């Protein structure tokens, strides 16, 4: 989780790279590096079984997580220019909603397959089975990364990247609406990023559930994201983003309040 947030420090480097190489190349190269960084994680269980020890396996996991998130932080800089280039103002909301729907459907299918694979066989081979899933994900990610290089290059991406960072920040601060958005977005991001890891630990420590069951819970959680994507496709382009954000922020707050009652149910 720490490395994931550390990736948010990398967009200035991504901006400098976009200025020189273009948005599509930066995102494509970053995504290739992102999935290559998962190779140490794939090798970690085998290193532990070979007698290298838990410290070596943990070190490989740390290197993998760091490289994955650093590459993501660099490449995500290109996301908005590329989305702007392949969509119009009228269909952008629908595109983002459909994209989110596809991501969640694939995530559910992957989560179900992972839970079944982890459930099969003995606990002794669970790490190796997880590595097989990780290897499939690496191959799929590298294949998808290659497709990125075929996207059209945004015409104004390099020009926008030439604006000095401090000048962009100063211009943004002068806009009152953006300041309010940053505050609200920061608060919601902190809460959601705290809730995700907490719920996983809560399920494992509070109810002593296995990895396969926890994965199944994350799959069920993705159903809510699918519902959000379906409604977003109908609401965003018609009513705008503000009502959509307000409604689902309220629903998220209500959902996060439910685990407060669950320890009593377990007693």
């Amino acid at each position: 989780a720490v490395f994931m947030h550390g990736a948010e420090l990398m967009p200035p480097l991504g901006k400098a790279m976009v200025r020189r190489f273009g948005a599509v190349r930066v995102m494509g190269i970053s995504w290739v590096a992102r999935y290559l960084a998962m190779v140490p994680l794939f090798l970690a269980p085998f290193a532990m079984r070979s007698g290298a020890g838990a410290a070596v396996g943990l070190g490989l996991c740390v290197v993998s997580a760091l490289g994955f998130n650093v590459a993501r932080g660099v490449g995500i800089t290109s996301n908005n220019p590329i989305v702007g280039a392949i969509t119009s103002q009228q269909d952008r909301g629908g595109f983002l909603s459909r994209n989110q729907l596809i991501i969640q459907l694939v995530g559910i299918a992957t989560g179900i397959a992972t839970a079944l694979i982890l459930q099969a066989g003995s606990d002794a081979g669970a790490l190796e089975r997880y590595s097989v899933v990780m290897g499939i994900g690496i191959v799929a990610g590298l294949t998808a990364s290659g497709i990125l290089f075929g996207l059209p290059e945004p015409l104004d991406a390099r020009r926008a990247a030439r604006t000095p960072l401090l000048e962009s920040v100063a211009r943004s601060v002068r806009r009152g609406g953006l300041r309010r958005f940053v505050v609200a977005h920061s608060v919601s991001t902190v809460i959601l990023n705290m809730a995700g890891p907490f719920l996983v630990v809560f399920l494992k420590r509070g109810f002593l559930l296995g990895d396969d069951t926890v994965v199944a819970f994350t799959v069920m959680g993705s159903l809510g994201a699918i519902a959000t994507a379906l409604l977003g496709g109908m609401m965003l382009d018609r009513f705008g983003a503000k009502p959509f954000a307000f409604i689902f922020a309220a629903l998220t707050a209500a959902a996060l309040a439910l685990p407060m009652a669950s320890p009593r149910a377990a007693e």
Side-chain angles (χ1 to χ4, degrees):
V2 173
F3 291 144
M4 181 177 65
H5 299 304
E8 296 171 2
L9 302 175
M10 302 310 297
L13 175 59
K15 181 178 180 180
M17 293 177 64
V18 168
R19 184 168 61 244
R20 181 171 182 180
F21 302 109
V24 170
R25 289 185 63 190
V26 169
M27 191 170 197
I29 293 172
S30 297
W31 255 232
V32 169
R34 183 187 187 190
Y35 291 104
L36 289 178
M38 299 304 292
V39 173
L41 185 59
F42 168 78
L43 297 174
F46 302 104
M48 293 174 61
R49 298 295 189 198
S50 67
V56 174
L58 180 61
L60 290 173
C61 292
V62 170
V63 170
S64 187
L66 177 61
F68 181 88
N69 285 289
V70 166
R72 176 184 176 275
V74 173
I76 202 68
T77 311
S78 302
N79 183 72
N80 288 345
I82 291 176
V83 170
I86 62 179
T87 62
S88 65
Q89 191 71 29
Q90 290 72 30
D91 66 357
R92 191 163 300 151
F95 170 83
L96 293 173
S97 296
R98 289 191 300 272
N99 186 55
Q100 186 65 25
L101 176 62
I102 293 171
I103 291 172
Q104 295 301 328
L105 287 173
V106 173
I108 286 178
T110 304
I112 292 174
T114 302
L116 292 175
I117 292 173
L118 291 176
Q119 191 178 39
S122 63
D123 293 339
L127 287 177
E128 285 76 4
R129 294 196 299 274
Y130 196 83
S131 284
V132 171
V133 175
M134 191 66 62
I136 295 172
I138 292 171
V139 173
L142 291 173
T143 303
S145 300
I147 298 174
L148 287 173
F149 291 99
L151 295 176
E153 178 66 40
L155 299 178
D156 59 345
R158 294 192 184 190
R159 183 172 63 252
R162 292 191 183 98
T163 304
L165 180 61
L166 292 179
E167 181 181 335
S168 299
V169 172
R171 187 186 305 166
S172 300
V173 169
R174 288 195 293 267
R175 299 167 58 187
L178 182 61
R179 290 199 299 270
R180 290 192 294 271
F181 171 79
V182 169
V183 172
H185 181 68
S186 299
V187 172
S188 64
T189 299
V190 168
I191 293 174
L192 291 175
N193 286 331
M194 289 174 60
F198 168 78
L199 290 175
V200 172
V201 174
F202 183 66
L203 289 171
K204 289 181 66 66
R205 297 290 182 87
F207 293 94
L208 304 178
L209 299 178
D211 291 339
D212 54 335
T213 307
V214 173
V215 171
F217 270 97
T218 63
V219 170
M220 288 188 287
S222 297
L223 295 175
I226 290 177
T228 302
L230 290 173
L231 290 175
M234 296 183 290
M235 293 177 60
L236 279 175
D237 294 326
R238 182 173 299 179
F239 301 107
K242 286 184 179 179
F244 181 80
F246 178 79
I247 291 172
F248 283 96
L251 291 175
T252 301
L256 291 177
L258 293 177
M260 297 175 62
S262 58
R264 300 190 190 96
E267 293 175 354

